[in-house]
Amino acid sequence: MPSIKDVAEKAGVSIATVSRVLSGKSHVRPIVRDRVLVVIDELGYRRNRVASSLRKRSARVIGLSVSDICNPFFTEIARAIEDTANSHQMSVFLCNTDENSDKEQVYLETLLDEHVAGIILSPTRETLEPFGFLLKSDTPVVTIDRRLPGANVDSVVSDNVQSAYLLTTHLIARGFRRIGTVIGLQN
């Protein structure tokens, strides 16, 4: 993969000039800008976003870790997060853990290694201990669907008890007496 140095050498300019062209800075002569863009195209140069985010100390990617992407609840959430991120010129890195804590651990470590701007997490476990490494990082974390008791993070969760109460009273008010429910995981 060609580097920014390769582009600079082939275009006959400095690395700083190539960087200015890539970041859209206006103080590059049009003829030089065009030459650099031609070389970028010829070499197939692609910006190293990880290196860029390290230098800028900010990333344009949000990590989203869901416990089961087949669950329509998470499909809807993923779509809403992606739409919102896109409207802010950000991307979403989607991780599906399949309720597997080992898989979740690998994904979370990868997201931290990629220096994502933040992580939205549907935790596989509702205990704080396994997430210590994540919470010690400088990466903002928000949990969805489940809380991490004792963690100093924002959470977006449904009030399942209140929802069940409202649904049941609605059915009773309509005359139903034999009411059953189908629920997900026991935990």
Side-chain angles (χ1 to χ4, degrees):
M1 180 177 225
S3 68
I4 194 169
K5 183 179 177 187
D6 298 330
V7 172
E9 287 175 0
K10 184 159 185 177
V13 297
S14 69
I15 292 173
T17 299
V18 175
S19 180
R20 283 193 291 275
V21 170
L22 290 170
S23 61
K25 301 239 167 97
S26 60
H27 50 280
V28 178
R29 292 183 319 213
I31 193 166
V32 172
R33 176 182 310 284
D34 291 345
R35 186 169 70 229
V36 169
L37 291 173
V38 166
V39 170
I40 286 171
D41 189 48
E42 285 175 6
L43 294 178
Y45 171 79
R46 294 191 47 88
R47 181 180 278 176
N48 183 332
R49 295 208 181 272
V50 173
S52 179
S53 67
L54 284 171
R55 281 191 302 277
K56 295 177 184 174
R57 291 230 179 261
S58 68
R60 306 297 302 163
V61 177
I62 297 169
L64 171 59
S65 177
V66 299
S67 50
D68 182 6
I69 196 63
C70 289
N71 181 333
F73 172 76
F74 291 116
T75 304
E76 290 292 323
I77 285 178
R79 177 59 190 254
I81 290 169
E82 194 276 334
D83 287 346
T84 302
N86 186 265
S87 73
H88 290 82
Q89 292 76 48
M90 296 188 82
S91 299
V92 177
F93 188 104
L94 176 64
C95 306
N96 175 49
T97 66
D98 291 318
E99 293 289 350
N100 180 320
S101 59
D102 292 334
K103 194 173 177 183
E104 177 181 62
Q105 178 86 18
V106 170
Y107 275 136
L108 292 174
E109 289 174 1
T110 300
L111 292 173
L112 290 177
D113 290 346
E114 293 294 326
H115 299 279
V116 295
I119 296 174
I120 301 171
L121 168 67
S122 169
T124 59
R125 299 153 288 184
E126 293 186 71
T127 59
L128 192 56
E129 183 182 317
F131 300 100
F133 75 99
L134 176 63
L135 301 173
K136 288 178 187 171
S137 75
D138 291 335
T139 305
V141 175
V142 174
T143 64
I144 56 173
D145 189 42
R146 301 170 184 155
R147 295 184 194 278
L148 285 178
N152 187 22
V153 298
D154 291 324
S155 297
V156 179
V157 296
S158 300
D159 186 342
N160 293 328
V161 173
Q162 178 66 11
S163 297
Y165 173 80
L166 291 172
L167 287 167
T168 305
T169 55
H170 173 78
L171 292 172
I172 291 170
R174 301 241 169 338
F176 294 95
R177 296 292 175 253
R178 295 185 53 160
I179 301 168
T181 183
V182 177
I183 60 172
L185 301 172
Q186 285 189 326
N187 61 357

